[in-house]
Amino acid sequence: VFNLGKDILPEKLKESLARDEIRHIIIIGQGTAAIAGAAIADGLTRYLKGTHIKIDSKTASEFSGFSLEDNLSDTLVIAITQSGTTTDTNRAVAMASERGATIIAIVNRRQSDITSMADGVFYTSDGRDIEMSVASTKAFYSQIIAGHVLALCFARILKTVSDDFIARELINLEQAPDMMRRIVEKKGKIEESARRFAKQKKYWAVVGSGPNKAAADEIRIKLSELCYKTISSDIVEDKKHIDLSAEPLIIVCAAGSPDNVTGDIIKDVAIFKAHKAGVIVFADEDEKRFNEIADSVITIPRTQMPLPVILNTVAGHLWGYYAAASIDEDAFFIREFRSRLSLETIEEDKKHYSIYERIADRNLHMILEEFSTKFNKLRSSGILSLMNVQTVSDIALLLKYAAGKLPLEDLDNDFEDGNDGASPIDLLDISLGHAIDELSRPIDAIRHQAKTVTVGTSRKEDLKGILFDLLVELGFATKNLPSKDVLIIKRIQKAISLVKGHTLYNINNLDVDGKPQDTSTITINRKGGISLQMKSRAEASATLMGTKKTIVRTGEIYVGFGKSDGASIVTMPLLRERTIVKNLLLIHVDFNELLSPDEKKEVLGDRYYDIRNLIDEYNLPWDDSYLEKIPMGILLGEAPEVIAAEIKKFIE
């Protein structure tokens, strides 16, 4: 018996599955969530074998961009997201739902955006978000488990496997926490492996076959985030056909593979080693054949799919953590030397040393020699392979100049770019800064873009509405708008009941940065509607001034009343050369004064809260009905302080 209620698995979906009306299941997500989707798709394929249901997993952006059909009424979309606010995923869900698809969301964060868009919501936590970070780990594991529970429930409905089989699978899933703890208990050996091998190779790759390709893909993401590297992910057997000439470090996810596949992976590992690659293997605990050929073998408890996907990934996550920590220690070594060098320079400053006296200073020589010995040892062992080659060579050369081992006369020839008479000690300090930047690997969720809203490419269908339509009519597109203005225009369109006319202006003589200056000019390009009968100040004077000059400078749209004639207007800047405002479009409009308070709140956006907060400052009660008493042009065009003052008058 599955206790997945109607909030997770709607009755309508159960009935559609039972009546064979669902013909296609597509699992979507972005990044880590998409990889969890691939692992879930593998489980669905195994559990629903023999049905006519087609199983696919896709990134949400690929699904919305290339796989949407006009009619998706026979399709179940399982959307996976940690935050519930991933732009690409939510946009794909909205587009699929509009086309009749049923949506189930597997999500971590409660009451997030996607929960109001889905027909059913399967939370990966019991009330408290298990993790909030783009560099998510625990959410990935739980998404796989949740997806397999869902898949087994589908198998129960469709009777594709026996109840005994389902029970065994669920018991297997329940072992995940204990198995994961067993991996964590091996963290000492994993740390030893990472510290020994992570810094020996500049290029890294992660490989896995079958279901373990998902583990490889996920490890690749975390290694990239933790170690700030671009890393490839491949099928094990394909790696020998791709880039072994790079002599990379290869992490092999082999645990949980069938015996015949494991035999092939052993041969592939031997090939990797023959091509001078470094090889780290995650293997089943009772598998000894990798021991003689791999540089390092991390053993994984033997268990049934999908747990090996999770366990390989846990090992990879831990390996990446310790690799990042080890790399960062080298940055600490350089930071420490840079600090000592700085203190010594301060002491020399107190003595008013010339550059020649600095270079001859014995204390400085001792500091430089001590660092140089260790630096060269690390360089020779390949430990500094993650540093830029130029940075390494610059430091090695500048150490010799700073110690007086090379003549200062040659310094300009070796460091002519940006030298400007700087001393070798100054240049060494700069190069050490570059080295620290290249080696620092702070294991920091903020650095890894932790946030509740995940930005993305967002599949935008054509923006339409009264203002966008006018832009198209005049030969412009959204790309001609400053990006910050596009959503504002979309939001305020509801407040525009009629476009009565327009004037398109040309802007000229801006400075080199595209900003207005005293000689900047404005001329009329064309008019339409009531503007044909209206006089413009630009007809009398071509000098760019006033509000229009401010709009050109800030690139911000203006909505409200004209300063000279009190007309209801919208004025928007239009870009021609990427970021330079070359046109202004002034639109004469009628505002829609019949909007409800809720609609006005939507149109106002953040301005609503600015106004309300000011009323709170007056210690006055707030009511949304106050918005009905303020004309739309004032709400949109005047400062929140002015609007709040008006509201204060009729409250009191």
Side-chain angles (χ1 to χ4, degrees):
V1 175
F2 287 85
N3 64 341
L4 304 182
K6 296 177 182 178
D7 55 333
I8 298 175
L9 202 58
E11 287 298 327
K12 184 178 178 182
L13 175 59
K14 290 182 181 179
E15 293 169 4
S16 296
L17 284 167
R19 291 198 297 261
D20 202 24
E21 293 173 354
I22 297 296
R23 312 293 287 182
H24 198 180
I25 299 177
I26 305 175
I27 305 97
I28 64 171
Q30 288 295 136
T32 286
I35 295 168
I40 294 168
D42 179 74
L44 279 165
T45 300
R46 285 186 285 115
Y47 298 152
L48 304 188
K49 188 175 182 180
T51 69
H52 297 294
I53 299 176
K54 181 183 178 184
I55 312 294
D56 280 317
S57 69
K58 296 179 181 291
T59 58
S61 56
E62 291 292 288
F63 172 61
S64 63
F66 303 100
S67 301
L68 285 175
E69 298 177 4
D70 292 338
N71 183 358
L72 294 176
S73 59
D74 64 348
T75 300
L76 168 63
V77 174
I78 300 175
I80 304 175
T81 167
Q82 178 218 164
S83 67
T85 54
T86 305
T87 305
D88 300 301
T89 304
N90 289 5
R91 185 64 186 128
V93 164
M95 296 172 78
S97 182
E98 288 168 1
R99 290 160 175 80
T102 302
I103 311 294
I104 291 181
I106 296 177
V107 58
N108 173 37
R109 188 173 174 225
R110 303 223 158 216
Q111 285 77 53
S112 52
D113 294 349
I114 201 170
T115 62
S116 63
M117 304 165 66
D119 299 293
V121 180
F122 196 164
Y123 286 110
T124 51
S125 64
D126 60 359
R128 180 173 178 268
D129 297 337
I130 57 172
E131 185 172 36
M132 287 306 304
S133 168
V134 171
S136 177
T137 52
K138 295 183 284 293
F140 172 77
Y141 309 138
S142 63
Q143 287 160 356
I144 292 178
I145 297 295
H148 278 74
V149 169
L150 200 61
L152 287 166
C153 185
F154 291 168
R156 179 73 176 82
I157 294 170
L158 295 170
K159 296 180 172 56
T160 54
V161 295
S162 69
D163 285 355
D164 286 343
F165 176 88
I166 292 173
R168 288 194 299 272
E169 290 293 303
L170 290 172
I171 290 170
N172 182 49
L173 295 180
E174 287 179 342
Q175 296 177 29
D178 287 336
M179 293 293 183
M180 294 167 74
R181 289 188 191 97
R182 288 173 62 180
I183 301 296
V184 175
E185 288 170 0
K186 300 174 185 287
K187 63 184 180 181
K189 183 171 183 179
I190 295 173
E191 179 179 5
E192 179 187 356
S193 171
R195 289 184 176 279
R196 183 177 176 187
F197 298 107
K199 294 177 285 190
Q200 292 188 3
K201 299 288 185 179
K202 184 171 186 177
Y203 304 106
W204 294 1
V206 191
V207 296
S209 294
N212 277 337
K213 179 59 165 61
D217 289 341
E218 170 60 12
I219 293 169
R220 190 261 303 190
I221 288 180
K222 292 308 178 295
L223 284 180
S224 296
E225 290 173 337
L226 287 165
C227 299
Y228 305 82
K229 293 172 67 70
T230 297
I231 298 168
S232 66
S233 174
D234 302 294
I235 294 169
V236 177
E237 292 79 5
D238 212 22
K239 190 64 182 173
K240 59 180 176 286
H241 299 290
I242 300 177
D243 60 357
L244 285 182
S245 58
E247 299 179 2
L249 173 71
I250 304 175
I251 295 176
V252 182
C253 299
S257 298
D259 288 341
N260 60 330
V261 174
T262 300
D264 290 335
I265 293 176
I266 291 168
K267 297 173 186 176
D268 289 322
V269 168
I271 293 172
F272 300 160
K273 287 299 299 177
H275 285 79
K276 299 182 180 180
V279 183
I280 312 296
V281 178
F282 301 150
D284 290 315
E285 283 181 335
D286 54 357
E287 177 56 72
K288 308 298 182 184
R289 289 174 288 177
F290 290 106
N291 294 352
E292 299 301 320
I293 53 176
D295 292 290
S296 175
V297 178
I298 308 298
T299 56
I300 306 291
R302 184 179 285 276
T303 185
Q304 301 300 312
M305 286 294 172
L307 295 195
V309 175
I310 293 175
L311 300 182
N312 278 294
T313 306
V314 173
H317 284 169
L318 284 170
W319 197 94
Y321 170 84
Y322 289 119
S326 178
I327 294 167
D328 195 59
E329 286 174 4
D330 293 332
F332 176 77
F333 156 66
I334 295 175
R335 282 194 293 267
E336 188 178 44
F337 167 67
R338 192 187 190 195
S339 177
R340 291 182 65 192
L341 183 64
S342 176
L343 291 173
E344 181 61 28
T345 302
I346 291 171
E347 291 300 316
E348 291 177 343
D349 286 341
K350 292 177 181 178
K351 299 174 183 177
H352 305 290
Y353 275 5
S354 69
I355 180 59
Y356 301 98
E357 290 170 318
R358 292 177 190 274
I359 290 175
D361 185 75
R362 293 186 63 183
N363 286 335
L364 179 63
H365 284 186
M366 290 173 59
I367 294 170
L368 292 172
E369 188 64 33
E370 181 183 337
F371 173 79
S372 183
T373 299
K374 187 170 183 179
F375 180 81
N376 288 326
K377 183 178 179 181
L378 292 174
R379 184 179 60 161
S380 300
S381 64
I383 297 298
L384 300 179
S385 63
L386 300 181
M387 276 175 56
N388 185 289
V389 173
Q390 182 175 341
T391 304
V392 174
S393 62
D394 284 354
I395 290 175
L397 195 56
L398 286 165
L399 285 169
K400 296 183 183 297
Y401 276 111
K405 295 180 180 180
L406 293 174
L408 285 179
E409 292 80 0
D410 291 342
L411 185 66
D412 288 342
N413 293 329
D414 287 329
F415 298 94
E416 57 182 6
D417 293 337
N419 184 356
D420 296 329
S423 75
I425 297 173
D426 294 333
L427 295 176
L428 177 59
D429 182 73
I430 293 170
S431 294
L432 291 170
H434 293 322
I436 291 167
D437 289 341
E438 291 164 12
L439 288 176
S440 293
R441 299 297 189 270
I443 302 168
D444 181 351
I446 302 301
R447 182 70 181 268
H448 297 149
Q449 305 169 311
K451 52 190 176 289
T452 59
V453 178
T454 305
V455 297
T457 54
S458 182
R459 296 289 172 196
K460 293 183 180 178
E461 297 177 320
D462 292 338
L463 290 170
K464 297 185 181 298
I466 194 167
L467 298 181
F468 288 117
D469 292 346
L470 177 61
L471 278 174
V472 173
E473 182 183 328
L474 295 175
F476 294 93
T478 51
K479 68 180 180 180
N480 299 116
L481 293 166
S483 57
K484 59 186 177 183
D485 288 347
V486 174
L487 292 180
I488 295 175
I489 294 171
K490 182 179 179 182
R491 192 179 71 234
I492 67 170
Q493 285 187 123
K494 187 178 288 188
I496 310 295
S497 60
L498 179 66
V499 168
K500 299 189 294 184
H502 64 270
T503 302
L504 180 66
Y505 297 97
N506 294 335
I507 307 298
N508 294 299
N509 295 334
L510 300 174
D511 67 17
V512 292
D513 296 318
K515 299 298 182 183
Q517 51 191 346
D518 291 342
T519 57
S520 298
T521 60
I522 180 170
T523 56
I524 296 173
N525 179 300
R526 59 188 134 148
K527 292 183 175 183
I530 66 169
S531 299
L532 292 169
Q533 285 78 47
M534 300 176 71
K535 281 283 186 182
S536 170
R537 186 168 62 184
E539 294 174 311
S541 171
T543 302
L544 179 64
M545 63 179 70
T547 302
K548 295 183 179 66
K549 189 172 185 178
T550 300
I551 295 172
V552 173
R553 179 178 59 80
T554 63
E556 295 178 356
I557 188 172
Y558 174 77
V559 186
F561 297 124
K563 300 303 181 186
S564 59
D565 57 8
S568 303
I569 60 171
V570 175
T571 306
M572 58 180 73
L574 299 174
L575 309 176
R576 282 294 188 187
E577 299 171 13
R578 291 182 297 179
T579 59
I580 297 177
V581 177
K582 300 297 287 185
N583 297 97
L584 287 182
L585 179 60
L586 187 150
I587 309 168
H588 290 276
V589 302
D590 279 343
F591 290 120
N592 182 2
E593 302 294 351
L594 301 178
L595 297 181
S596 68
D598 284 342
E599 290 173 321
K600 286 189 175 183
K601 282 172 58 178
E602 181 182 347
V603 169
L604 287 172
D606 288 340
R607 285 173 65 84
Y608 165 80
Y609 297 101
D610 293 339
I611 297 164
R612 180 170 177 172
N613 291 340
L614 287 167
I615 297 298
D616 291 340
E617 284 290 320
Y618 295 138
N619 291 319
L620 295 172
W622 173 263
D623 193 302
D624 287 345
S625 64
Y626 299 155
L627 299 176
E628 294 182 293
K629 302 178 183 181
I630 308 294
M632 202 72 244
I634 293 178
L635 284 174
L636 290 171
E638 294 295 338
E641 290 80 4
V642 174
I643 300 168
E646 287 296 311
I647 293 174
K648 181 173 181 285
K649 289 178 184 177
F650 58 73
I651 294 178
E652 294 178 336

